[in-house]
Amino acid sequence: MNAPNDSAIAGLIDAARQARENAYAPYSGFRVGAALLTADGRIFTGVNVENASYGLTSCAESGAVSSAVGAGVRDFVAIAVTGPDNGVPCTPCGSCRQILHEFAPNLLVITEAASGAVTTPLRELLPQAFGSGNIQRVEGR
Ligand code: THU
């Protein structure tokens, strides 16, 4: 699939905003929704799920990846991430950048700024990334 056009981007942001309704963020109040667009045009969503332990919190982006991979889909084109409607782009945290890179080094990351949607290649957010290509697989392990 080609890079999403403006209407596909708007649809993906909308899906992330809808997902955000189900975010579980009673501790931070910082509700996040993510919508992952797959190469075959499907959309998988995720939300942040906080935990009383704080440290066990999981991010919206990793939830969307788990949902897609669990459905047997690993070919991703773009992800939209929506945090609070404060005009500040909610870019994926470092850990989520690495999780996204595992499956889609060429992913486009779409966030919302006060001026509208911002599209940034994951390669810019995670330069010189460590990935599967760095690992020498050994037969039998
Ligand atoms: N969070 C996400 O879900 N995704 C991000 O990209 C940034 C942070 C969540 C984790 C936590 O529940 C809350 O936002 C505040 O950090």
Side-chain angles (χ1 to χ4, degrees):
M1 184 189 249
N2 295 325
N5 60 22
D6 284 354
S7 109
I9 288 174
L12 203 58
I13 289 177
D14 202 46
R17 295 172 73 91
Q18 273 185 40
R20 191 182 58 186
E21 296 292 310
N22 293 324
Y24 177 71
Y27 306 107
S28 72
F30 192 95
R31 304 165 67 80
V32 185
L36 193 56
L37 177 64
T38 66
D40 61 6
R42 282 188 276 174
I43 293 176
F44 291 86
T45 59
V47 298
N48 56 331
V49 181
E50 297 188 343
N51 188 275
S53 71
Y54 285 32
L56 287 176
T57 290
S58 60
C59 288
E61 297 90 324
S62 78
V65 169
S66 295
S67 171
V69 172
V73 189
R74 297 179 189 162
D75 203 355
F76 309 140
V77 174
I79 189 167
V81 187
T82 60
D85 290 322
N86 57 8
V88 179
C90 183
T91 49
C93 75
S95 163
C96 286
R97 293 175 196 201
Q98 184 71 33
I99 287 169
L100 294 167
H101 179 271
E102 180 71 21
F103 299 102
N106 293 315
L107 194 71
L108 297 174
V109 177
I110 298 159
T111 55
E112 286 186 290
S115 54
V118 179
T119 301
T120 312
L122 179 61
R123 285 193 187 282
E124 271 180 33
L125 297 175
L126 192 67
Q128 299 183 34
F130 181 85
S132 59
N134 293 93
I135 296 183
Q136 295 269 317
R137 284 170 214 251
V138 179
E139 283 298 317
R141 283 211 198 157

